[in-house]
Each structure stands twice: as structure tokens, then as C-alpha cells.
């Protein structure tokens, strides 16, 4: 682990009590670990709003019987091949496919890919989540 820095934080009693209840419910062992995660989350959110580099996944369910949908989804993914690391395809049932697309790149490009896929007729649901690329000091 990199060097640890300690700093003091002053909080009003109701705020620290609410924080302790919150982190207990999430099974954090220490306030420090909970605070580290909060800081990381905020930095990821900042990268997202500023168009920084993120890693993540786009998850969607679609009906592969819809005419031309499969080809269209593949065309769109080829347009974004510079940010797509891999795609996993699962045949959910007779009609439905689940696709999990791992991505790494500019947050704004991930959002463009997600939107381009989501608006296609036959795509039942799509969601995406982002995390840190692990690079840099944060
Ligand atoms: Ni399938």
C-alpha cells in the first residue's frame, strides 16, 4: 500500500452518528475505509462529468427476433471498438439475449455507446456502471 496520511475531521454529532449508522449498515469495519470509498466515488463522478477516462460495463437485454436488430447492435459496437474491451453474449431464453460489454475510455464515449444501443427498437433494458481505470494516483 502507498504511504498513509492521517488528518483530523471535525463533524457535528448528528452527522457523525448518521454516518456511523450508514457505514455500519454497509458493514464497513472502519470510518477510514468508508471515507476512502466516498472520496474515490466522488473522484470517479468528477471524471465522469469532466469526460475523464473510466472503465465499466454496459449491460443490456434485447429480443434477437427483432428484424435487423442483431446486425445493428454489432454495427454500433464496431463504431465504438476503440473503447470496447470485450463483449459477453448470453442466450437468456428463446427470445432474449443478454449482452455484457466491458469498456474503457472517455466517460462521454461510454455514454454515447450506451445511448446508441439503448434507443434501438427491441432493446428491452440497458444500464451501465463505471469504475476507476486504476491508473493514476487516485
Ligand atoms: Ni442470444
Amino acid at each position: 500500500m502507498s504511504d498513509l496520511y492521517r488528518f483530523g475531521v471535525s463533524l457535528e454529532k448528528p452527522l457523525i452518528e448518521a454516518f456511523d449508522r450508514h457505514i455500519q449498515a454497509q458493514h464497513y469495519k472502519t470510518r477510514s475505509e468508508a471515507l476512502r470509498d466516498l472520496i474515490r466515488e466522488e473522484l470517479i463522478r468528477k471524471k465522469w462529468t469532466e469526460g475523464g477516462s473510466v472503465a465499466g460495463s454496459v449491460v443490456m437485454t434485447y429480443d434477437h427476433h427483432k428484424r435487423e436488430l442483431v446486425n445493428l447492435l454489432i454495427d454500433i459496437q464496431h463504431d465504438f471498438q476503440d473503447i470496447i474491451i470485450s463483449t459477453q453474449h448470453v442466450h437468456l431464453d428463446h427470445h432474449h439475449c443478454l449482452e455484457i460489454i466491458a469498456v474503457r475510455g472517455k466517460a462521454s464515449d461510454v455514454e454515447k455507446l450506451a445511448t446508441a444501443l439503448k434507443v434501438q427498437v427491441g432493446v428491452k433494458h440497458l444500464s451501465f456502471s463505471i469504475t476507476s481505470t486504476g491508473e493514476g494516483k487516485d
Side-chain angles (χ1 to χ4, degrees):
M1 188 184 252
S2 54
D3 292 341
L4 286 176
Y5 292 89
R6 290 197 166 79
F7 63 97
V9 178
S10 303
L11 296 174
E12 293 82 8
K13 197 164 180 257
L15 187 58
I16 191 66
E17 284 171 353
F19 184 64
D20 283 346
R21 280 195 303 275
H22 174 70
I23 67 177
Q24 248 174 15
Q26 299 197 348
H27 304 291
Y28 277 106
K29 289 196 171 57
T30 64
R31 286 177 181 156
S32 291
E33 193 49 44
L35 203 54
R36 277 194 282 270
D37 275 358
L38 279 179
I39 292 169
R40 289 183 191 118
E41 244 174 69
E42 187 56 29
L43 292 174
I44 291 284
R45 192 171 298 137
K46 185 167 175 276
K47 276 190 179 180
W48 181 260
T49 54
E50 291 176 351
S53 202
V54 296
S57 64
V58 176
V59 181
M60 64 177 170
T61 306
Y62 62 88
D63 181 349
H64 75 98
H65 286 145
K66 285 278 175 203
R67 273 177 79 86
E68 294 300 315
L69 179 61
V70 176
N71 282 338
L72 199 54
L73 296 178
I74 289 171
D75 284 348
I76 293 167
Q77 291 188 50
H78 276 266
D79 289 342
F80 286 87
Q81 50 102 7
D82 51 329
I83 64 163
I84 294 177
I85 303 164
S86 75
T87 302
Q88 184 178 17
H89 184 101
V90 179
H91 310 302
L92 281 182
D93 59 31
H94 184 67
H95 289 278
H96 299 106
C97 302
L98 170 73
E99 221 153 273
I100 305 162
I101 306 167
V103 293
R104 180 178 51 211
K106 273 173 56 182
S108 54
D109 287 339
V110 174
E111 195 164 22
K112 276 182 205 157
L113 168 65
T115 304
L117 296 169
K118 186 166 68 176
V119 299
Q120 303 307 321
V121 175
V123 174
K124 297 288 182 76
H125 185 258
L126 179 148
S127 67
F128 62 91
S129 65
I130 53 162
T131 184
S132 165
T133 59
E135 291 167 5
K137 290 178 181 171
D138 51 359

